[in-house]
Amino acid sequence: LDQELDTLKAQKDAHGFDEARHTTLVAAKPLADQLVSLQQGHARATKAVADRKRDLDEAKKAVLQEEKALPALEKAEGDARAAETAARAEKEEAHRDHAALAIRQGLKPGDPCPVCEQPVKAVPKGKAPALDAVDTKLKKAEAAARAAQDKLQQGRLTHEQRRAKAESLERELEEAQAREEEAKTLAADVQAALAKAGFK
C-alpha cells in the first residue's frame, strides 16, 4: 500500500497539481463569471447611452425645425385672418349697396327719400352688387383662416410634443449614463478583486 501510495503521489506530482492554486481558481471562478456578466452589462449600458444621445440629437433637431416653422405659420394665420376681415367688410359694403339700390328703385325726382324724408332731387344710377360673389369670397376666406389656424395649432402642438420628448430623452440619457457608470465601477471592483487574487 505504501508503494501504491508513493506511485499515486508521483503521478500527482507529475501532473503538476497545485492544491493552493486549485483552491484559488475555484474561489476566483464566481468572480470571473460575475466580471463577464458585468462587462456585458457595461457594453449594453454604453450602447444605451449612445442610442439615447443619437435620439436626443434627432429630437433637438426636430424641435429646432418646429421653432423655425412656427413664425411662418403665425404669419400665414395672421394674413388669413386679415383676408377674412377684408372679405367681411367687402360683404357688408356690398349688402349696404344692395339695400341702397333696393331703396332707390321706384323713386322719382321730387319723391321723399324713404331714409331721410327729404325730397329727392335726382335718383342716382347704380349697379346691383354681386352678393353671391362676395358671399363666396367670404366663405373661402373664412375656410382659409380656419385652415391656417388649424395648421398653427397643429404646429404648436407638434412643437410641444417634440420638446417634451426631447426633455424625456434627456432624462433617459442621464439615467443611462448613471447605469453605465455604475456598471463600469462594479466591473472595476471585480477586476481589482481578481488582480488581488493574482489574476489579470
Side-chain angles (χ1 to χ4, degrees):
L1 286 173
D2 285 339
Q3 187 178 8
E4 194 175 323
L5 182 60
D6 289 341
T7 305
L8 290 173
K9 282 183 183 179
Q11 286 176 351
K12 181 184 105 171
D13 291 342
H15 289 304
F17 181 75
D18 182 352
E19 190 171 334
R21 184 78 174 147
H22 175 73
T23 305
T24 304
L25 286 172
V26 168
K29 183 170 181 351
L31 287 175
D33 292 342
Q34 184 182 11
L35 179 61
V36 168
S37 176
L38 289 172
Q39 287 174 334
Q40 290 171 347
H42 181 254
R44 283 191 301 274
T46 300
K47 183 183 180 316
V49 166
D51 290 347
R52 288 300 151 292
K53 283 181 179 177
R54 185 193 67 242
D55 293 346
L56 180 58
D57 286 345
E58 290 173 7
K60 284 181 176 180
K61 286 177 188 173
V63 168
L64 286 175
Q65 286 177 341
E66 289 299 322
E67 286 175 356
K68 288 178 183 176
L70 282 176
L73 291 174
E74 289 168 347
K75 183 182 181 322
E77 195 263 347
D79 292 347
R81 286 282 169 218
E84 178 188 14
T85 301
R88 185 170 271 99
E90 187 178 340
K91 177 184 175 181
E92 289 171 4
E93 183 179 337
H95 279 275
R96 279 193 304 274
D97 290 349
H98 183 267
L101 184 64
I103 291 172
R104 287 193 304 252
Q105 288 186 350
L107 275 181
K108 295 181 219 102
D111 289 345
C113 173
V115 177
C116 66
E117 298 184 6
Q118 298 290 322
V120 175
K121 295 180 181 172
V123 179
K125 302 274 183 210
K127 183 174 123 180
L131 294 180
D132 291 341
V134 292
D135 285 342
T136 301
K137 184 177 181 180
L138 177 58
K139 286 178 184 174
K140 286 182 180 179
E142 288 172 339
R146 279 192 304 274
Q149 184 179 21
D150 290 347
K151 280 185 178 180
L152 177 58
Q153 287 176 341
Q154 185 59 45
R156 286 178 176 157
L157 178 63
T158 301
H159 176 258
E160 283 304 310
Q161 288 171 337
R162 289 188 175 165
R163 194 173 56 73
K165 181 180 179 183
E167 290 172 358
S168 172
L169 286 170
E170 283 178 347
R171 286 189 298 274
E172 287 178 24
L173 174 61
E174 289 170 3
E175 291 168 6
Q177 287 171 330
R179 284 191 301 273
E180 178 188 30
E181 192 58 38
E182 180 182 0
K184 183 179 176 182
T185 301
L186 289 172
D189 290 348
V190 171
Q191 279 181 323
L194 283 171
K196 186 177 180 183
F199 300 99
K200 293 184 179 180

